[in-house]
Amino acid sequence: MADARAAGLPEIPEPAQDVLLHFVSTAAAMKTEPRVDGVPASAPDYSQIADGPALGELQGQFDEFQNSGWVQTGAPVIAAVLGYEDLETEQGFLRRLSICVDSSTVELKDQEGLILLAAAEPGSRKSLNYYDLQEQDGTWKVVSHSFPDDPAC
């Protein structure tokens, strides 16, 4: 994953940069954990970096990997930071980052080794991602991750 300063994240307080990169790299590093007595592993505590729907996304992705036995290689790269906007919502102040993520080097296989998503030429699989960050009790967290109707970037 690209370093925040190298990627040029705009005017985001340092802890917010760190939590965004931690969120993206955590999602990219998902793997199937060994079962204990045939029982899938429990999801780690992601609450230090995520809350709300973003927390559910990480927990759901972890469960999906455990139940499906998936193996992921490669990592997405922050290709560009397209900007940010400050939003006032019912949940309070949010900072929405618009980030172009290149996932072309990511490959996903099932437990039998069947390729579900093949790696591709770098730069060929980019998508615009919205990450909503919020400061909660002095700690920045990703609270939402979404895509626009047209995710091309």
Side-chain angles (χ1 to χ4, degrees), residues 68-73 107-117:
S68 301
W70 291 342
V71 176
Q72 179 174 292
T73 57
E107 182 170 87
L108 185 65
K109 295 180 182 179
D110 69 10
Q111 54 195 348
E112 281 82 38
L114 179 67
I115 297 174
L116 304 173
L117 177 67

Side-chain angles (χ1 to χ4, degrees), residues 54-71:
L55 177 60
E57 175 183 338
L58 289 176
Q59 292 168 332
Q61 185 177 346
F62 180 87
D63 289 344
E64 193 169 22
F65 268 74
Q66 303 321 298
N67 294 328
S68 301
W70 291 342
V71 176

Side-chain angles (χ1 to χ4, degrees), residues 14-124:
E14 195 62 36
Q17 286 185 10
D18 292 343
V19 75
L20 173 68
L21 291 173
H22 193 178
F23 182 90
V24 174
S25 63
T26 295
M30 288 286 168
K31 62 181 182 178
T32 303
E33 300 293 341
R35 291 176 178 251
V36 177
D37 296 327
V39 177
S42 297
D45 181 7
Y46 298 120
S47 64
Q48 294 82 17
I49 59 169
D51 196 18
L55 177 60
E57 175 183 338
L58 289 176
Q59 292 168 332
Q61 185 177 346
F62 180 87
D63 289 344
E64 193 169 22
F65 268 74
Q66 303 321 298
N67 294 328
S68 301
W70 291 342
V71 176
Q72 179 174 292
T73 57
V77 174
I78 294 177
V81 177
L82 304 179
Y84 73 92
E85 64 180 311
D86 294 334
L87 306 170
E88 190 64 41
T89 69
E90 291 178 11
Q91 294 78 30
F93 168 81
L94 297 175
R95 178 156 284 175
R96 174 168 291 163
L97 299 173
S98 299
I99 298 178
C100 182
V101 176
D102 181 1
S103 63
S104 49
T105 63
V106 174
E107 182 170 87
L108 185 65
K109 295 180 182 179
D110 69 10
Q111 54 195 348
E112 281 82 38
L114 179 67
I115 297 174
L116 304 173
L117 177 67
E121 185 174 328
S124 63

